[in-house]
Amino acid sequence: MNKQKERKIRRITKIRIWPRVLGALCVFLLFHVLLVALVLAYASSVASSKIENMMSDCSEVADYMDSFEYGLNDNRFGGLMQIRPEIVSAGYLDEDYNVVSSFGKKSVDTTEYAHLANIENDLLDANVYVEKAGAHFFSFDGADIEMKSEQLLFDITVSEVNNDDADWFNILELARKSPKELRSRELLGTNVIFVFENDVKDGYSVIVYRFRFVPMDFISMLIFVIALMAVFLLLMLYQLFSIIRLFMDKRTAYDALYTDMVTGGGNELSFYKDAEKILRKNKNTPYAMVHLRLEKHKGLLACYGVKWVEELDEMIYETINKTLKKRKEVHARMNNGDFAVLMRYEDSSKLNDRVRSLMNSLSAEIVDQKLFFSAGICPVLYYKDDVKSLYNNASLARSYVKDENAEEIKWYNKEIEDEQLWERKVEGEMENAMQTGQFEMFLQPKYTTGGEVLGGAEALVRWRHPQDGLIPPGKFIPIFEKNGFILKLDDYMITEVAKTQAKWLSEGKKLVPISVNVSRAHFMKKDIAEHIRDIVDRYNVPHEVVELELTESAFFDDKKTLIDVVRKMREYGFPVSMDDFGSGYSSLNSLKEIPLDVLKLDAEFFRGEDVGDRGRLIVSEIIELAKTLGMHIVAEGIETRTQVDFLKDLECDLIQGYIFAKPMPINEFETKHLNTLMA
Ligand code: C2E
Ligand code: CA
Ligand code: CA
């Protein structure tokens, strides 16, 4: 899976749902608090508008009393008010608070103003009627109606109140005829002037209000609340929907991240996660990490196709599954043909038998195809490492199985552990070693078969370690090749070769080509030829004395790039040789395709006391072929006189081997070959 994609999916799987649910609940609660607050605010705003109306009524009454055209003369008093549902009663008190005149459903029966406020009224209805003799006029918008005492003028039914557009003339007509037929809503909001004929001059006009919320208030409040609730409900639904979606996304992401598409079970990530959980839970129970490999996986793919191999992988997964203890052991398909299994570990022979019988039953699963399995086991006696390293250790142990047909089980042991420790030590020290000049160039001479004189040399690195002494390259080059440090080391060696040749040149010595190893890692860079040319040119050394050795394995990666690079190297004048020819991947084809100057025959060709007729035949044919292609031949690892004679017969050009000399420090090389080197 693409790393970025994996990171994204991981992020989704890490999202926690419960804080969102909690958040939604909090919002829900908060909303209700807010709703109550808003309702209270609304109610208080309604109340305050009512108070405002009341105040304006009072001032209007006062104003009217002052300017009333009927005037406050000796025997007439008047009042003005707007008929509202809140009005309970109204009246006029004399200066001793005696009621002069009032209207309302209940008469004002107290002389105390304060008591007026406590009048209990039916909240729904208020009747306006002239109660006392002397209140002769009741005027609607200036039109006087003469009233008889004690006559009910009209009823106000508050619950019906809502209309401001009453037709007043019509109402007056009605009032004249039958005031009872007047509907309160027709009068609501209208100014009513009341005039009392009376002897009392000074007094108080009183309107008794009562705060109350009429149905209209409640209806508007209800609409307000419903609207708010609807908005909130929509928001909550949205939130709920997004939580559900997130939950589903999380599940999908989880599946994508932790499911193996081939077996349908857990994948590598899920294995690490589950194995860690099991190990953490059972800290005192011994476990073992097993790396099980189906050998020749690539070959099976090539022969039977992807579908068949995937079905095979699925079958292997299922078969392993059947042998595991549920929830106490776990497994997964890791790579092509690789399976990780975390197993309980009672003792080594029991576990070995268990893995062996698993391998046997897996091999027997397919009748017409022999399957080969190998395994690496790393015991987890005390869980301290991370699961990945444990699996890595099991894999490392398995990598010691050299024969893919052997069906071997290898255990992670002290030797492997030491190797790992060594690797870590090398990695920790390599940079400092480079800076402090601990890497040293040794030279191994190459001799001509003809006169057995110096014909060239190979630069080979040694690590002069302050504590460990001289370390051979076999102990650190493979590590550098893995971690990329080989690029720095090779650059250093090329520089050393150029520097040495420059020094000898300046001393007037005769130069012979010195070959230097160029690791395959360099071929990742397209400008490697220019890079090497620039290094050598810094020392003004002729290119033909710096030979570049490439190993055959480099020829397997990207042939086209390699051919281009080799061509450029040769264009710049560097002789190029193929190292270790015949060691493993030998392919006569590469000789045909890649233009090279030198072929270095691997020591393998000459191993053993007697190479045999077939061996001789092969070597002579190769030399013949190389010569036809215009290449020079160097034979490596030559240790005996017989080998030298044999190579002499075949007109091999150069011999590099212990028979003549081992790799040596430069000063030794100079001393030993000083005469030869003199121009
Ligand atoms: P190589 O390039 O094949 O170098 C030849 C190896 O064979 C050298 O081992 C040399 O000492 C050894 N040898 C030569 N003649 C004989 C012989 O007669 N008998 C036996 N038994 N061995 C002989 P060395 O120096 O230990 O290097 C091992 C390998 O390390 C080299 O194999 C090369 O692949 C790598 N290496 C060494 N130096 C460098 C370097 O500077 N850069 C890179 N990339 N690799 C290097
Ligand atoms: Ca070499
Ligand atoms: Ca070699």
Side-chain angles (χ1 to χ4, degrees), residues 89-93 98-110 116 119 127-138 147-154 194-196 198:
S89 63
Y92 193 79
L93 310 177
N98 291 319
V99 176
V100 174
S101 182
S102 73
F103 63 84
K105 191 174 181 187
K106 282 191 177 169
S107 58
V108 181
D109 59 358
T110 174
L116 281 173
I119 293 169
N127 307 312
V128 177
Y129 58 103
V130 180
E131 193 187 33
K132 278 204 165 186
H136 294 296
F137 285 102
F138 222 93
M147 304 297 302
K148 283 186 185 146
S149 166
E150 303 280 332
Q151 185 185 6
L152 182 68
L153 180 62
F154 48 78
F194 51 97
V195 181
F196 310 106
N198 202 295

Tab-separated table of all heavy atoms in Angstrom, residues 89-93 98-110 116 119 127-138 147-154 194-196 198:
chain	number	residue	atom	x	y	z
A	89	SER	N	-59.185	45.950	34.874
A	89	SER	CA	-60.284	46.871	35.154
A	89	SER	C	-59.756	48.291	35.124
A	89	SER	O	-58.548	48.506	35.146
A	89	SER	CB	-60.908	46.552	36.522
A	89	SER	OG	-59.939	46.754	37.519
A	90	ALA	N	-60.634	49.230	35.028
A	90	ALA	CA	-60.228	50.625	35.042
A	90	ALA	C	-61.260	51.416	35.830
A	90	ALA	O	-62.401	50.976	35.984
A	90	ALA	CB	-60.117	51.141	33.623
A	91	GLY	N	-60.839	52.505	36.317
A	91	GLY	CA	-61.806	53.261	37.078
A	91	GLY	C	-61.252	54.609	37.479
A	91	GLY	O	-60.144	54.978	37.066
A	92	TYR	N	-62.020	55.291	38.242
A	92	TYR	CA	-61.567	56.592	38.714
A	92	TYR	C	-61.770	56.678	40.216
A	92	TYR	O	-62.819	56.302	40.735
A	92	TYR	CB	-62.357	57.692	37.985
A	92	TYR	CG	-61.705	59.034	38.201
A	92	TYR	CD1	-60.562	59.373	37.453
A	92	TYR	CD2	-62.181	59.910	39.155
A	92	TYR	CE1	-59.934	60.572	37.674
A	92	TYR	CE2	-61.545	61.122	39.368
A	92	TYR	CZ	-60.422	61.453	38.628
A	92	TYR	OH	-59.793	62.630	38.856
A	93	LEU	N	-60.746	57.096	40.879
A	93	LEU	CA	-60.818	57.204	42.330
A	93	LEU	C	-60.791	58.669	42.720
A	93	LEU	O	-60.123	59.470	42.051
A	93	LEU	CB	-59.611	56.512	42.970
A	93	LEU	CG	-59.269	55.090	42.525
A	93	LEU	CD1	-58.005	54.626	43.228
A	93	LEU	CD2	-60.418	54.147	42.829
A	98	ASN	N	-61.595	56.744	47.038
A	98	ASN	CA	-62.917	56.127	46.885
A	98	ASN	C	-63.184	55.962	45.411
A	98	ASN	O	-62.832	56.813	44.593
A	98	ASN	CB	-64.007	57.021	47.472
A	98	ASN	CG	-63.885	57.075	48.980
A	98	ASN	OD1	-63.632	56.054	49.626
A	98	ASN	ND2	-64.012	58.274	49.528
A	99	VAL	N	-63.747	54.837	45.093
A	99	VAL	CA	-64.035	54.577	43.679
A	99	VAL	C	-65.163	55.484	43.234
A	99	VAL	O	-66.220	55.513	43.821
A	99	VAL	CB	-64.424	53.105	43.464
A	99	VAL	CG1	-64.805	52.859	42.022
A	99	VAL	CG2	-63.299	52.211	43.891
A	100	VAL	N	-64.870	56.215	42.208
A	100	VAL	CA	-65.903	57.060	41.645
A	100	VAL	C	-66.597	56.276	40.537
A	100	VAL	O	-67.804	56.180	40.463
A	100	VAL	CB	-65.282	58.348	41.086
A	100	VAL	CG1	-66.340	59.168	40.375
A	100	VAL	CG2	-64.621	59.129	42.185
A	101	SER	N	-65.751	55.707	39.728
A	101	SER	CA	-66.316	54.949	38.633
A	101	SER	C	-65.296	53.908	38.208
A	101	SER	O	-64.094	54.133	38.295
A	101	SER	CB	-66.602	55.901	37.477
A	101	SER	OG	-67.182	55.186	36.442
A	102	SER	N	-65.762	52.804	37.783
A	102	SER	CA	-64.797	51.806	37.325
A	102	SER	C	-65.477	50.855	36.360
A	102	SER	O	-66.686	50.814	36.273
A	102	SER	CB	-64.234	51.018	38.503
A	102	SER	OG	-65.220	50.138	38.970
A	103	PHE	N	-64.679	50.160	35.639
A	103	PHE	CA	-65.254	49.040	34.882
A	103	PHE	C	-64.280	47.886	34.937
A	103	PHE	O	-63.119	48.014	35.257
A	103	PHE	CB	-65.633	49.441	33.459
A	103	PHE	CG	-64.471	49.875	32.616
A	103	PHE	CD1	-63.708	48.917	31.970
A	103	PHE	CD2	-64.169	51.218	32.471
A	103	PHE	CE1	-62.662	49.321	31.188
A	103	PHE	CE2	-63.121	51.603	31.686
A	103	PHE	CZ	-62.352	50.666	31.030
A	104	GLY	N	-64.844	46.812	34.638
A	104	GLY	CA	-64.062	45.583	34.786
A	104	GLY	C	-65.056	44.528	35.154
A	104	GLY	O	-66.208	44.839	35.475
A	105	LYS	N	-64.630	43.301	35.095
A	105	LYS	CA	-65.618	42.277	35.387
A	105	LYS	C	-66.087	42.365	36.821
A	105	LYS	O	-67.250	42.258	37.126
A	105	LYS	CB	-65.053	40.885	35.121
A	105	LYS	CG	-66.150	39.850	35.158
A	105	LYS	CD	-65.673	38.494	34.760
A	105	LYS	CE	-66.853	37.523	34.801
A	105	LYS	NZ	-66.420	36.161	34.591
A	106	LYS	N	-65.084	42.561	37.651
A	106	LYS	CA	-65.463	42.732	39.048
A	106	LYS	C	-65.326	44.200	39.393
A	106	LYS	O	-64.386	44.857	38.930
A	106	LYS	CB	-64.530	41.915	39.934
A	106	LYS	CG	-64.884	40.447	39.926
A	106	LYS	CD	-64.130	39.730	40.999
A	106	LYS	CE	-64.555	38.268	41.022
A	106	LYS	NZ	-63.675	37.491	41.859
A	107	SER	N	-66.186	44.634	40.165
A	107	SER	CA	-66.095	46.046	40.521
A	107	SER	C	-64.918	46.234	41.464
A	107	SER	O	-64.468	45.306	42.127
A	107	SER	CB	-67.382	46.473	41.208
A	107	SER	OG	-67.568	45.667	42.343
A	108	VAL	N	-64.409	47.450	41.445
A	108	VAL	CA	-63.323	47.766	42.369
A	108	VAL	C	-63.948	47.900	43.745
A	108	VAL	O	-64.777	48.752	43.964
A	108	VAL	CB	-62.628	49.059	41.941
A	108	VAL	CG1	-61.490	49.397	42.874
A	108	VAL	CG2	-62.157	48.942	40.520
A	109	ASP	N	-63.604	47.005	44.595
A	109	ASP	CA	-64.313	46.989	45.866
A	109	ASP	C	-63.450	47.413	47.037
A	109	ASP	O	-63.689	47.075	48.163
A	109	ASP	CB	-64.913	45.608	46.115
A	109	ASP	CG	-63.845	44.539	46.129
A	109	ASP	OD1	-62.652	44.901	45.907
A	109	ASP	OD2	-64.157	43.364	46.350
A	110	THR	N	-62.389	48.065	46.744
A	110	THR	CA	-61.572	48.526	47.857
A	110	THR	C	-61.222	49.984	47.638
A	110	THR	O	-61.214	50.473	46.505
A	110	THR	CB	-60.299	47.681	47.997
A	110	THR	OG1	-59.481	48.260	48.997
A	110	THR	CG2	-59.527	47.634	46.707
A	116	LEU	N	-56.056	47.383	44.760
A	116	LEU	CA	-56.550	47.231	43.396
A	116	LEU	C	-55.693	46.253	42.601
A	116	LEU	O	-56.183	45.514	41.768
A	116	LEU	CB	-56.527	48.583	42.674
A	116	LEU	CG	-57.667	49.530	42.998
A	116	LEU	CD1	-57.406	50.877	42.354
A	116	LEU	CD2	-58.978	48.973	42.517
A	119	ILE	N	-56.623	42.568	42.707
A	119	ILE	CA	-57.944	42.082	42.283
A	119	ILE	C	-57.802	40.820	41.464
A	119	ILE	O	-57.014	40.745	40.527
A	119	ILE	CB	-58.663	43.154	41.443
A	119	ILE	CG1	-58.995	44.353	42.328
A	119	ILE	CG2	-59.936	42.596	40.820
A	119	ILE	CD1	-59.458	45.540	41.534
A	127	ASN	N	-64.963	42.386	31.140
A	127	ASN	CA	-66.180	43.069	30.672
A	127	ASN	C	-66.039	44.547	30.968
A	127	ASN	O	-65.502	44.950	31.987
A	127	ASN	CB	-67.402	42.554	31.424
A	127	ASN	CG	-67.460	41.035	31.347
A	127	ASN	OD1	-67.311	40.488	30.262
A	127	ASN	ND2	-67.630	40.384	32.487
A	128	VAL	N	-66.498	45.273	30.058
A	128	VAL	CA	-66.468	46.715	30.293
A	128	VAL	C	-67.915	47.144	30.472
A	128	VAL	O	-68.757	46.915	29.599
A	128	VAL	CB	-65.844	47.444	29.083
A	128	VAL	CG1	-65.876	48.946	29.305
A	128	VAL	CG2	-64.436	46.947	28.860
A	129	TYR	N	-68.164	47.643	31.617
A	129	TYR	CA	-69.526	48.154	31.775
A	129	TYR	C	-69.540	49.307	32.758
A	129	TYR	O	-68.653	49.463	33.580
A	129	TYR	CB	-70.512	47.056	32.180
A	129	TYR	CG	-70.194	46.330	33.460
A	129	TYR	CD1	-70.910	46.651	34.631
A	129	TYR	CD2	-69.221	45.331	33.502
A	129	TYR	CE1	-70.614	45.952	35.792
A	129	TYR	CE2	-68.949	44.652	34.654
A	129	TYR	CZ	-69.649	44.956	35.807
A	129	TYR	OH	-69.383	44.291	36.950
A	130	VAL	N	-70.531	50.083	32.567
A	130	VAL	CA	-70.636	51.264	33.429
A	130	VAL	C	-71.336	50.812	34.684
A	130	VAL	O	-72.418	50.231	34.636
A	130	VAL	CB	-71.427	52.378	32.716
A	130	VAL	CG1	-71.536	53.590	33.607
A	130	VAL	CG2	-70.762	52.712	31.407
A	131	GLU	N	-70.648	51.039	35.709
A	131	GLU	CA	-71.134	50.420	36.928
A	131	GLU	C	-71.982	51.380	37.773
A	131	GLU	O	-72.974	51.001	38.355
A	131	GLU	CB	-69.930	49.966	37.744
A	131	GLU	CG	-70.296	49.055	38.864
A	131	GLU	CD	-69.078	48.770	39.731
A	131	GLU	OE1	-68.213	49.673	39.860
A	131	GLU	OE2	-69.006	47.674	40.260
A	132	LYS	N	-71.531	52.604	37.775
A	132	LYS	CA	-72.186	53.511	38.735
A	132	LYS	C	-73.030	54.560	38.041
A	132	LYS	O	-72.724	54.937	36.907
A	132	LYS	CB	-71.099	54.217	39.545
A	132	LYS	CG	-70.593	53.370	40.692
A	132	LYS	CD	-70.025	54.280	41.740
A	132	LYS	CE	-69.857	53.510	43.055
A	132	LYS	NZ	-69.442	54.428	44.094
A	133	ALA	N	-73.954	54.975	38.701
A	133	ALA	CA	-74.749	56.069	38.164
A	133	ALA	C	-73.842	57.269	37.975
A	133	ALA	O	-72.909	57.492	38.746
A	133	ALA	CB	-75.856	56.428	39.157
A	134	GLY	N	-74.046	57.963	36.958
A	134	GLY	CA	-73.215	59.155	36.748
A	134	GLY	C	-72.260	58.979	35.617
A	134	GLY	O	-71.753	59.962	35.077
A	135	ALA	N	-71.985	57.781	35.244
A	135	ALA	CA	-71.101	57.603	34.095
A	135	ALA	C	-71.979	57.505	32.864
A	135	ALA	O	-72.433	56.451	32.483
A	135	ALA	CB	-70.272	56.347	34.271
A	136	HIS	N	-72.192	58.614	32.296
A	136	HIS	CA	-73.212	58.659	31.260
A	136	HIS	C	-72.670	58.441	29.867
A	136	HIS	O	-73.382	57.995	29.000
A	136	HIS	CB	-73.923	60.013	31.294
A	136	HIS	CG	-74.712	60.206	32.533
A	136	HIS	ND1	-75.800	59.400	32.843
A	136	HIS	CD2	-74.575	61.091	33.534
A	136	HIS	CE1	-76.281	59.796	34.011
A	136	HIS	NE2	-75.560	60.828	34.463
A	137	PHE	N	-71.430	58.818	29.735
A	137	PHE	CA	-70.919	58.739	28.362
A	137	PHE	C	-69.862	57.659	28.213
A	137	PHE	O	-69.020	57.496	29.079
A	137	PHE	CB	-70.262	60.083	27.969
A	137	PHE	CG	-71.259	61.127	27.693
A	137	PHE	CD1	-71.546	62.100	28.622
A	137	PHE	CD2	-71.922	61.139	26.449
A	137	PHE	CE1	-72.462	63.082	28.358
A	137	PHE	CE2	-72.837	62.139	26.205
A	137	PHE	CZ	-73.119	63.117	27.145
A	138	PHE	N	-69.965	57.039	27.137
A	138	PHE	CA	-68.854	56.188	26.744
A	138	PHE	C	-68.589	56.519	25.304
A	138	PHE	O	-69.493	56.553	24.504
A	138	PHE	CB	-69.211	54.710	26.893
A	138	PHE	CG	-68.072	53.959	27.471
A	138	PHE	CD1	-67.989	53.772	28.848
A	138	PHE	CD2	-67.052	53.506	26.666
A	138	PHE	CE1	-66.907	53.104	29.374
A	138	PHE	CE2	-65.975	52.854	27.200
A	138	PHE	CZ	-65.892	52.643	28.570
A	147	MET	N	-75.013	56.269	28.002
A	147	MET	CA	-75.229	54.984	28.639
A	147	MET	C	-76.164	55.139	29.819
A	147	MET	O	-76.170	56.163	30.478
A	147	MET	CB	-73.888	54.440	29.167
A	147	MET	CG	-72.799	54.322	28.127
A	147	MET	SD	-73.196	53.173	26.836
A	147	MET	CE	-73.439	51.701	27.805
A	148	LYS	N	-76.838	54.060	30.018
A	148	LYS	CA	-77.623	54.056	31.243
A	148	LYS	C	-76.774	53.414	32.318
A	148	LYS	O	-75.925	52.585	32.038
A	148	LYS	CB	-78.900	53.233	31.035
A	148	LYS	CG	-79.947	53.975	30.259
A	148	LYS	CD	-81.222	53.154	30.228
A	148	LYS	CE	-82.242	53.828	29.338
A	148	LYS	NZ	-83.070	52.847	28.653
A	149	SER	N	-77.055	53.849	33.481
A	149	SER	CA	-76.298	53.318	34.598
A	149	SER	C	-76.460	51.795	34.675
A	149	SER	O	-77.512	51.257	34.349
A	149	SER	CB	-76.809	53.993	35.863
A	149	SER	OG	-76.353	53.319	36.967
A	150	GLU	N	-75.432	51.175	35.115
A	150	GLU	CA	-75.399	49.726	35.348
A	150	GLU	C	-75.549	48.923	34.061
A	150	GLU	O	-75.707	47.729	34.079
A	150	GLU	CB	-76.511	49.273	36.318
A	150	GLU	CG	-76.486	49.960	37.644
A	150	GLU	CD	-75.462	49.382	38.585
A	150	GLU	OE1	-75.155	48.183	38.463
A	150	GLU	OE2	-74.921	50.138	39.424
A	151	GLN	N	-75.484	49.611	32.950
A	151	GLN	CA	-75.701	48.852	31.705
A	151	GLN	C	-74.369	48.264	31.215
A	151	GLN	O	-73.341	48.940	31.188
A	151	GLN	CB	-76.250	49.794	30.637
A	151	GLN	CG	-76.588	49.047	29.390
A	151	GLN	CD	-77.023	49.993	28.280
A	151	GLN	OE1	-76.968	51.199	28.403
A	151	GLN	NE2	-77.466	49.399	27.187
A	152	LEU	N	-74.465	47.030	30.841
A	152	LEU	CA	-73.261	46.383	30.313
A	152	LEU	C	-73.017	46.895	28.899
A	152	LEU	O	-73.912	46.918	28.080
A	152	LEU	CB	-73.456	44.859	30.273
A	152	LEU	CG	-72.266	44.068	29.798
A	152	LEU	CD1	-71.121	44.147	30.800
A	152	LEU	CD2	-72.674	42.632	29.562
A	153	LEU	N	-71.832	47.407	28.703
A	153	LEU	CA	-71.569	47.974	27.389
A	153	LEU	C	-71.165	46.886	26.383
A	153	LEU	O	-71.757	46.730	25.341
A	153	LEU	CB	-70.455	49.010	27.497
A	153	LEU	CG	-70.060	49.699	26.211
A	153	LEU	CD1	-71.239	50.477	25.633
A	153	LEU	CD2	-68.887	50.614	26.416
A	154	PHE	N	-70.129	46.170	26.736
A	154	PHE	CA	-69.748	45.047	25.837
A	154	PHE	C	-68.860	44.052	26.591
A	154	PHE	O	-68.308	44.354	27.625
A	154	PHE	CB	-69.018	45.538	24.585
A	154	PHE	CG	-67.913	46.513	24.862
A	154	PHE	CD1	-66.682	46.062	25.334
A	154	PHE	CD2	-68.104	47.866	24.652
A	154	PHE	CE1	-65.692	46.972	25.582
A	154	PHE	CE2	-67.096	48.749	24.903
A	154	PHE	CZ	-65.880	48.321	25.369
A	194	PHE	N	-63.696	57.361	28.268
A	194	PHE	CA	-64.823	57.245	29.200
A	194	PHE	C	-64.959	58.548	29.979
A	194	PHE	O	-63.978	59.171	30.352
A	194	PHE	CB	-64.685	56.027	30.115
A	194	PHE	CG	-63.372	55.913	30.818
A	194	PHE	CD1	-63.240	56.373	32.128
A	194	PHE	CD2	-62.267	55.355	30.186
A	194	PHE	CE1	-62.023	56.260	32.765
A	194	PHE	CE2	-61.064	55.244	30.830
A	194	PHE	CZ	-60.921	55.690	32.132
A	195	VAL	N	-66.137	58.918	30.072
A	195	VAL	CA	-66.416	60.206	30.721
A	195	VAL	C	-67.406	59.964	31.846
A	195	VAL	O	-68.372	59.224	31.674
A	195	VAL	CB	-67.028	61.203	29.695
A	195	VAL	CG1	-67.301	62.536	30.366
A	195	VAL	CG2	-66.109	61.350	28.514
A	196	PHE	N	-67.084	60.512	32.975
A	196	PHE	CA	-67.991	60.389	34.129
A	196	PHE	C	-68.480	61.757	34.544
A	196	PHE	O	-67.696	62.697	34.590
A	196	PHE	CB	-67.255	59.759	35.313
A	196	PHE	CG	-66.531	58.487	34.934
A	196	PHE	CD1	-65.154	58.467	34.805
A	196	PHE	CD2	-67.267	57.322	34.695
A	196	PHE	CE1	-64.497	57.316	34.459
A	196	PHE	CE2	-66.601	56.176	34.345
A	196	PHE	CZ	-65.224	56.148	34.220
A	198	ASN	N	-69.741	63.778	37.423
A	198	ASN	CA	-69.600	63.553	38.854
A	198	ASN	C	-69.207	64.842	39.535
A	198	ASN	O	-68.757	65.781	38.893
A	198	ASN	CB	-68.482	62.510	39.044
A	198	ASN	CG	-68.590	61.806	40.360
A	198	ASN	OD1	-68.428	62.456	41.381
A	198	ASN	ND2	-68.849	60.517	40.322
